[in-house]
Amino acid sequence: MNSTPTLTKKGWQDVKDRFADLSSGNSKVSSLLSQDQERVLRTIGQMEYWLDDKFRLPGTSIRFGWDTIIGLVPGVGDAVTAALALYIVWNARSLNIGRWTQFRMISNILFDTVLGAVPLVGDMFDVAFRANRKNLKLIMKELDKRKTKQV
């Protein structure tokens, strides 16, 4: 198993696999983080999994999560999922993620919320865009950069 989360053709691995190395201290970014920060990173990964990847459409490789399901409720659903996504950004701040990365994360959420609010088309967009996955990828990329700068 790889020591860091990697993207495959089918998307990110299950959250348990992604963060197994991190919790055992074998990850490239693990040495950068305190135990509290490792816990925060696992929480972010679990939230991303539940919001974007929890369910699979039977007979396909299409995955979706609570973000898509809650987003089906007109108006309120998109506001709730935006708030949950902003909670991920709030947690990322405790990992000392840079302001530019935070701005990009918030931009992903705003884009997802605005286009997700469009009836029917927005719900299909929610399945395809996956702002939370993109934001987790941004966090991991910044942590990996930080690690390479220290070495």
Side-chain angles (χ1 to χ4, degrees):
M1 183 161 68
N2 293 335
S3 62
T4 58
T6 57
L7 224 80
T8 63
K9 286 183 180 179
K10 292 183 180 180
W12 287 61
Q13 298 173 356
D14 183 63
V15 71
K16 293 176 187 172
D17 293 337
R18 281 185 257 161
F19 293 96
D21 287 339
L22 183 61
S23 62
S24 67
N26 295 331
S27 173
K28 286 179 10 182
V29 298
S30 181
S31 61
L32 289 175
L33 305 175
S34 69
Q35 287 183 341
D36 288 339
Q37 289 175 323
E38 287 179 14
R39 183 177 37 80
V40 167
L41 187 57
R42 280 192 304 274
T43 300
I44 291 170
Q46 289 169 347
M47 285 188 66
E48 179 274 329
Y49 174 74
W50 281 88
L51 290 172
D52 286 347
D53 287 333
K54 177 65 178 154
F55 307 106
R56 185 177 56 86
L57 198 59
T60 69
S61 63
I62 299 172
R63 299 195 67 83
F64 61 96
W66 286 106
D67 185 356
T68 303
I69 295 168
I70 295 170
L72 290 171
V73 178
V76 176
D78 293 312
V80 169
T81 59
L84 291 170
L86 286 171
Y87 182 71
I88 291 174
V89 177
W90 180 259
N91 277 317
R93 291 177 54 142
S94 66
L95 298 173
N96 298 319
I97 298 300
R99 289 179 191 254
W100 177 246
T101 302
Q102 290 177 41
F103 172 76
R104 290 178 63 196
M105 292 171 70
I106 291 170
S107 297
N108 284 338
I109 295 166
L110 184 61
F111 186 65
D112 183 45
T113 303
V114 169
L115 289 179
V118 177
L120 248 41
V121 175
D123 298 321
M124 290 184 280
F125 173 78
D126 273 342
V127 173
F129 186 67
R130 299 183 185 179
N132 300 304
R133 178 184 289 176
K134 291 180 186 306
N135 289 344
L136 179 60
K137 184 178 173 184
L138 287 171
I139 292 168
M140 296 304 289
K141 186 176 178 179
E142 182 160 328
L143 292 175
D144 282 342
K145 278 185 192 177
R146 195 181 305 167
K147 176 64 176 175
T148 58
K149 284 182 181 179
Q150 284 189 349
V151 173

